Amino acid sequence: MSIKKLFPILLLGLAVITGFDSAALAVGQPEPWQLGLQDPVSPVAVEGQKFFNLLIWLMTIITVIVLFLLLYVLFRFSAKRNPVPSKTTHHTLLEVVWTVVPVLILLVIAIPSFRLLYFADRVEDADLTLKIIGKQWYWTYEYPDNGNFTFDSLMIDEETAVAEGMNRLLDVDNPVVLPVDQNIRLVMTSDDVIHNWAMPSLFIKLDAVPGRLNETWTRIPGEYAGTTFYGQCSELCGVNHAYMPIAVKAVTMEEYEAWVAKAQEEFASADLPSAVSVASAE
């Protein structure tokens, strides 16, 4: 391969290694030709991207070392340079090294991995709770701390989205509305099959499992008020799996309180009678 053809590949490789923080162009949604992760927003997302970058550097270093060793072996132990092959079957130091070094690498990965896992698990003092229910093929949201109203969130059909300049396959009729600068507990379950509520900018990707409650949390900084974040179901849940997107709109606390007052009326469920009369068989 000529240098002229190799140069763009080298530039791309350099961008892959060093350009993961350049994802700031993609706030809340993917961008055409985007390289790397979306811009991290929540505290968990910031720590998650740090861990991601650590893994990329480790993988790059390991790949370069293994490539160098392979090239060295091809050169040093070729048949031309070693007409009489070595009879060596054991090398104590070498065997210790190739056992200890991978263990150390796994420890380097495990320590920040467990720290991030526990950090993302749950928040002790949540300011509000959002319950997420996966269904075939849409999402249902409940706000138990704000009157316990419920609404469904379905994808806007493609023709309408294109005609109105909305995001195709991402915008929904009823987005989730969350206040900024608040610790928000997210509780997930499902009514039918396993779904997965994935929001890349918030570094959330958690299964919604029937008969089980899974929990995580998020916090959106105040600078993102007015931003809509997009995600999708990331579990193969059926024929319309690709058509149940997620939209989260971040607003100020004042805007959130005004939206809650409106939503309580718009999404109020019909009141059931306090007592049900059962006809007597006599």
Side-chain angles (χ1 to χ4, degrees), residues 80-145:
K80 179 180 179 181
R81 291 176 175 79
N82 293 271
V84 179
S86 171
K87 302 294 184 179
T88 304
T89 57
H90 294 283
H91 192 291
T92 304
L93 178 60
L94 182 60
E95 292 179 357
V96 170
V97 169
W98 73 36
T99 301
V100 173
V101 170
V103 171
L104 294 177
I105 294 174
L106 290 176
L107 285 176
V108 170
I109 295 174
I111 293 173
S113 175
F114 281 116
R115 185 184 298 119
L116 177 61
L117 181 66
Y118 286 113
F119 181 58
D121 186 37
R122 60 173 52 88
V123 60
E124 295 297 332
D125 299 315
D127 297 303
L128 65 98
T129 299
L130 173 68
K131 186 176 181 181
I132 302 163
I133 305 171
K135 298 181 179 179
Q136 291 178 314
W137 285 272
Y138 60 95
W139 298 98
T140 295
Y141 299 101
E142 297 180 3
Y143 285 73
D145 297 335

Side-chain angles (χ1 to χ4, degrees), residues 30-228:
E31 296 287 343
W33 297 97
Q34 177 184 331
L35 181 66
L37 301 178
Q38 294 182 23
D39 191 28
V41 173
S42 68
V44 174
V46 172
E47 295 302 316
Q49 190 171 74
K50 291 179 182 177
F51 180 59
F52 174 78
N53 290 336
L54 170 65
L55 293 182
I56 291 298
W57 279 109
L58 283 175
M59 289 190 295
T60 303
I61 293 170
I62 292 170
T63 302
V64 170
I65 292 175
V66 171
L67 177 62
F68 171 78
L69 290 175
L70 288 173
L71 294 175
Y72 175 76
V73 169
L74 290 173
F75 175 81
R76 176 66 179 81
F77 300 104
S78 64
K80 179 180 179 181
R81 291 176 175 79
N82 293 271
V84 179
S86 171
K87 302 294 184 179
T88 304
T89 57
H90 294 283
H91 192 291
T92 304
L93 178 60
L94 182 60
E95 292 179 357
V96 170
V97 169
W98 73 36
T99 301
V100 173
V101 170
V103 171
L104 294 177
I105 294 174
L106 290 176
L107 285 176
V108 170
I109 295 174
I111 293 173
S113 175
F114 281 116
R115 185 184 298 119
L116 177 61
L117 181 66
Y118 286 113
F119 181 58
D121 186 37
R122 60 173 52 88
V123 60
E124 295 297 332
D125 299 315
D127 297 303
L128 65 98
T129 299
L130 173 68
K131 186 176 181 181
I132 302 163
I133 305 171
K135 298 181 179 179
Q136 291 178 314
W137 285 272
Y138 60 95
W139 298 98
T140 295
Y141 299 101
E142 297 180 3
Y143 285 73
D145 297 335
N146 300 103
N148 204 31
F149 60 87
T150 302
F151 62 86
D152 298 330
S153 180
L154 288 83
M155 185 187 76
I156 300 293
D157 66 87
E158 296 187 46
E159 293 182 1
T160 302
V162 172
E164 298 184 6
M166 305 173 77
N167 290 307
R168 172 180 170 271
L169 300 180
L170 288 178
D171 268 308
V172 298
D173 56 354
N174 294 312
V176 176
V177 178
L178 296 177
V180 296
D181 293 328
Q182 302 290 310
N183 291 334
I184 303 165
R185 178 184 289 113
L186 304 174
V187 180
M188 305 181 195
T189 187
S190 171
D191 264 2
D192 34 58
V193 299
I194 298 177
H195 300 276
N196 186 287
W197 204 82
M199 183 64 60
S201 290
L202 304 181
F203 212 75
I204 298 172
K205 191 174 185 294
L206 192 63
D207 279 347
V209 183
R212 176 176 176 177
L213 293 178
N214 286 334
E215 181 181 329
T216 186
W217 70 284
T218 192
R219 182 185 179 93
I220 304 174
E223 62 191 274
Y224 293 100
T227 303
T228 299

